Amino acid sequence: MLKTLLTRAKFRRALPWLVRALALAHVLWWIAPAPPRAVMGPPQTVETAHPVICVHTRLTDEIEPWKIQRTLQLVREMGAAAIVEYFPWAYIQETEGAFDWWHADQIMSHAANQGLRVHARLGMTPDWARPDPDVLATSTNYIDAQGYEAFAAFAAAFAARYADTLEGLVIWNEPNLSFEWGYRPVDPAGYVELLKFIYPRVKAAAPGVPVLAGALAPTLEPAGSPNGMNDLTYLEAMYKAGAAGYFDALAVHTYGFKFPPDAEPGLDILNFRRAEYIRDIMIRYGDGDKPVYITEAGWNDHPRWTRAVRPGQRIAYTLQAFEWVEQEWDWAERLCIWAFKYPERQGNWRDYFTFVTPDLRVKPIYEAVQAYARGWEDTEP
Amino acid sequence: MQSFRRRSRRAQIAIVLLAALPIAVLLVWLVFGRQGDDIFDEVHRRGALYVGIEGDNPPFSLLENDRLAGLDADLARALAEALGVEVHFVVMGYDGLYDALAVGRVDVLISALRVDPDWWEDFRYSVPYFDAGQVLVVPDGSGIAGPADLEGRAVAVEFGSEGDVWAREQQRRLKELHIQPYDAPVAALDALADGKADAAIIDSISARLYGRAGIEAVTTVSAEPYAVVTRVESAHLRAALDAALQAMIEDGRLDALIARWF
């Protein structure tokens, strides 16, 4: 039938048009603007009067190198000296024995080029390092003793590869929450076991890279809660399980919610100065010489989220928090604010934590922090 | 030869129809395929429209003498009446609204929710019933009618707000624009009313609620429409709600409701 329809004569008549269409498509393709390229420029340095300023970036799902570069450029121009970034193990070592460093290389090389120091948060277990799903269904946040050795090897490889740019290696995220611990009851001793595997291997591979433990979620979960464990309780349990010898610094999460940064802490409330209770525990267990890196903190200015503040308050509190850390917490090296930018709009209150929109437009808080960091006019919080 | 051509033409038509069939099926599925939700009939069977509402977001929703009141509550009652059913409010926190609709705990959300394309996969929005966007507010008779008239002027904003962002963008476009940031929308409007600023860029809710005379919102500079939310499958219910809302817009009942609460 096709032969009947497409006679040779018809084809001959159609051929010139086909050739023209192909030529036109070729010309259009040729003149189309090239996608933006991320050409590495000369090495930059961060200009800041407040090196404590740091931000948690969200480049994990940022695919285009030019956006990674532009984001880190904006971080540097704002005057932040360091970033925290998440590097999922499952993305880098999707198959056992093979590493795909391409995306991590993009982030680390551009960060280094911008003069930024990096805290790499490692987590997310690949399928091959988790139990057979036919035996036990697990989430990507699940890791057990069978996976510790492989995770330690990955952490060591990561530390060795990026030692020059790393300021710290944060082991796991918020293990005191059930869902961050693979939807199991949380297990401080189990987490310490993980540290015991990782610490010597990272030190052997990259002795100068500090290993950061903790990164606990501030939470008031009551004893026996299926959702998680109070962060203070969890940290004490970590020390009792012998954690002290297996990390160089503690990563701390401390959000302000509705409170200003100087609001008095309390055991039954969550606010910025809850970090002081964390510090007290460190001192009590003889770990007072170790520094703290606040790897998540901040305020939210969503118009209707119950834990949000007004936009102007968010800006003021953020600047006051930097001052507080500099003046009151000599044990805290960095204050990393969550979050600099999301790759995509979240469509909810999470968007109101950011400094820059997904399309790279800076918000007033960015300009306020920049003015403060760079020592420009009107910088008083 | 004639017979061959006729057969050939028929064959061509058959091929075109065969080729078009999957496209037609796809189009039909796209238009009607996800409209299997018979919630419209269910609402009428039970005689009540279940409305998810925040309950604590004045003047859109608030408790007044133990009764839910506010623009959203009144609008929900009016829409339910147009459908010929009762309204049943399900009060919940802002964070739980979309989840409650997704799992069918409520039929609609009427809770000062802005039209958000990010939810488009699962939800649809009605005709907007309120615009909460940023407005340009000026003193009566100032002669300022729009952004172009702000050259060289002092503009009051709430520090860090959407209005602040908008003003900073204008500042880059105009030769001269002085931005005066204030802690709260009311403070910015006070500055305007006191003659300390030539204009203010403020969200329309704050502007409408501001009590002092002598200033007026002259134009919207960025829209933020609020609408009734339904599940994507609830096409019949959505059509009925749209028709009722459209009628309220056309006969002035919606404006009267808004005027009652602002």
Side-chain angles (χ1 to χ4, degrees):
Chain A
M1 189 182 283
L2 192 65
K3 212 171 185 180
T4 314
L5 290 171
L6 295 175
T7 60
R8 201 169 286 176
K10 283 181 178 172
F11 179 73
R12 230 178 273 136
R13 278 201 300 275
L15 188 62
W17 289 104
L18 192 64
V19 171
R20 284 174 197 146
L22 283 172
L24 179 65
H26 180 74
V27 169
L28 288 173
W29 174 81
W30 194 68
I31 63 172
R37 294 170 64 193
V39 179
M40 203 72 79
Q44 304 290 318
T45 53
V46 177
E47 291 178 22
T48 182
H50 303 278
V52 74
I53 298 173
C54 166
V55 284
H56 197 309
T57 46
R58 277 290 308 268
L59 298 168
T60 309
D61 299 310
E62 195 69 88
I63 298 161
E64 297 175 79
W66 76 268
K67 284 189 180 173
I68 294 172
Q69 182 183 44
R70 181 65 186 138
T71 301
L72 295 171
Q73 193 177 18
L74 284 168
V75 170
R76 191 254 306 160
E77 288 172 354
M78 189 180 76
I83 62 167
V84 180
E85 180 54 62
Y86 178 33
F87 294 91
W89 176 25
Y91 289 10
I92 294 172
Q93 202 176 3
E94 198 174 347
T95 53
E96 190 171 5
F99 294 103
D100 177 1
W101 297 108
W102 183 83
H103 193 259
D105 281 351
Q106 294 294 317
I107 296 170
M108 297 302 280
S109 60
H110 283 297
N113 184 244
Q114 296 299 326
L116 299 167
R117 305 284 289 154
V118 179
H119 285 272
R121 172 157 78 78
L122 305 183
M124 193 192 281
T125 313
D127 292 347
W128 58 266
R130 287 190 279 132
D132 181 342
D134 292 335
V135 178
L136 179 68
T138 57
S139 75
T140 53
N141 287 333
Y142 181 98
I143 189 165
D144 62 18
Q146 276 68 48
Y148 288 178
E149 183 65 50
F151 185 49
F154 162 70
F158 191 100
R161 188 176 183 88
Y162 303 120
D164 292 343
T165 308
L166 284 170
E167 189 170 79
L169 216 54
V170 186
I171 307 304
W172 218 255
N173 183 58
E174 302 185 337
N176 61 321
L177 296 183
S178 173
F179 89 91
E180 294 281 12
W181 196 242
Y183 288 104
R184 291 171 294 169
V186 299
D187 177 14
Y191 176 65
V192 172
E193 280 305 303
L194 176 62
L195 291 176
K196 287 178 180 174
F197 267 83
I198 287 175
Y199 190 77
R201 284 159 184 78
V202 168
K203 289 289 138 186
V209 174
V211 172
L212 274 63
L216 305 177
T219 173
L220 303 176
E221 286 297 326
S225 165
N227 301 321
M229 187 184 289
N230 184 302
D231 46 332
L232 307 179
T233 312
Y234 191 99
L235 184 60
E236 288 223 49
M238 276 176 59
Y239 275 114
K240 285 174 184 165
Y246 300 97
F247 66 94
D248 302 307
L250 195 69
V252 170
H253 294 178
T254 184
Y255 286 88
F257 299 110
K258 306 272 299 183
F259 300 94
D262 60 353
E264 285 289 326
L267 290 172
D268 56 348
I269 56 171
L270 298 179
N271 64 15
F272 183 69
R273 287 177 60 193
R274 186 172 180 81
E276 293 175 11
Y277 289 129
I278 295 272
R279 184 64 184 167
D280 289 346
I281 294 170
M282 292 176 73
I283 293 167
R284 205 179 322 137
Y285 283 88
D287 238 2
D289 290 338
K290 282 182 187 169
V292 163
Y293 291 88
I294 299 168
T295 51
E296 280 187 32
W299 284 263
N300 183 294
D301 60 5
H302 187 277
R304 288 161 70 184
W305 188 43
T306 50
R307 291 176 152 188
V309 295
R310 301 295 310 173
Q313 285 178 307
R314 179 183 168 219
I315 293 170
Y317 291 174
T318 303
L319 298 183
Q320 287 163 14
F322 289 131
E323 290 216 323
W324 184 272
V325 171
E326 283 183 336
Q327 292 169 10
E328 306 292 334
W329 293 352
D330 59 357
W331 36 268
E333 300 288 331
R334 304 271 193 209
L335 173 56
C336 307
I337 304 293
W338 177 272
F340 190 69
K341 166 184 157 311
Y342 288 121
E344 301 285 345
R345 217 175 83 80
Q346 307 293 299
N348 56 34
W349 51 271
R350 291 180 180 86
D351 292 316
Y352 292 79
F353 271 119
T354 61
F355 285 63
V356 174
T357 62
D359 56 355
L360 294 162
R361 285 186 305 155
V362 301
K363 296 182 178 180
I365 191 170
Y366 175 96
E367 294 180 337
V369 172
Q370 184 180 46
Y372 174 71
R374 308 289 286 270
W376 295 344
E377 78 281 4
D378 300 328
T379 58
E380 285 304 309
Chain B
M1 193 63 180
Q2 187 71 24
S3 160
F4 171 78
R5 277 186 183 158
R6 203 176 294 131
R7 273 204 304 274
S8 172
R9 178 64 54 84
R10 281 190 196 132
Q12 281 178 319
I13 292 168
I15 285 177
V16 168
L17 286 175
L18 279 171
L21 189 62
I23 298 169
V25 169
L26 180 66
L27 284 172
V28 168
W29 181 84
L30 283 174
V31 174
F32 301 106
R34 298 189 66 182
Q35 296 185 0
D37 186 355
D38 59 355
I39 193 64
F40 180 75
D41 297 333
E42 172 63 21
V43 165
H44 280 91
R45 239 191 326 271
R46 74 164 100 97
L49 179 70
Y50 281 46
V51 176
I53 192 166
E54 201 174 339
D56 184 23
N57 183 32
F60 291 93
S61 60
L62 62 150
L63 271 181
E64 212 174 60
N65 301 323
D66 290 336
R67 187 173 185 264
L68 205 57
L71 174 59
D72 284 337
D74 282 355
L75 179 63
R77 290 189 182 98
L79 292 175
E81 188 183 341
L83 295 179
V85 297
E86 298 289 315
V87 66
H88 179 90
F89 290 115
V90 181
V91 179
M92 64 190 78
Y94 168 77
D95 293 343
L97 288 166
Y98 275 101
D99 285 345
L101 181 60
V103 300
R105 196 173 162 215
V106 296
D107 305 319
V108 296
L109 302 175
I110 305 179
S111 195
L113 291 170
R114 69 176 195 173
V115 175
D116 188 341
D118 289 342
W119 292 106
W120 196 248
E121 195 176 330
D122 299 311
F123 306 103
R124 290 288 187 275
Y125 296 91
S126 70
V127 175
Y129 63 85
F130 187 85
D131 189 348
Q134 302 291 318
V135 290
L136 172 62
V137 187
V138 298
D140 292 343
S142 71
I144 299 172
D149 300 323
L150 293 177
E151 185 71 67
R153 308 280 192 162
V155 176
V157 298
E158 182 196 7
F159 186 35
S161 67
E162 293 294 327
D164 189 2
V165 173
W166 185 90
R168 288 173 196 231
E169 286 172 1
Q170 294 302 308
Q171 200 174 38
R172 291 180 197 113
R173 287 179 195 159
L174 298 172
K175 284 180 189 162
E176 198 176 351
L177 180 71
H178 308 287
I179 299 173
Q180 294 178 192
Y182 293 90
D183 288 343
V186 170
L189 291 169
D190 279 343
L192 180 65
D194 292 341
K196 294 175 186 167
D198 300 313
I201 304 294
I202 290 294
D203 67 274
S204 74
I205 297 171
S206 300
R208 283 173 181 268
L209 290 172
Y210 189 68
R212 290 170 62 180
I215 60 172
E216 59 176 345
V218 287
T219 186
T220 300
V221 298
S222 65
E224 190 175 325
Y226 287 174
V228 178
V229 194
T230 54
R231 282 186 295 278
V232 70
E233 298 90 351
S234 305
H236 295 147
L237 178 61
R238 185 163 54 254
L241 292 170
D242 270 343
L245 254 174
Q246 198 60 47
M248 290 180 68
I249 292 168
E250 286 168 9
D251 65 17
R253 277 181 295 149
L254 183 62
D255 280 343
L257 269 189
I258 292 171
R260 183 180 167 201
W261 290 103
F262 288 92

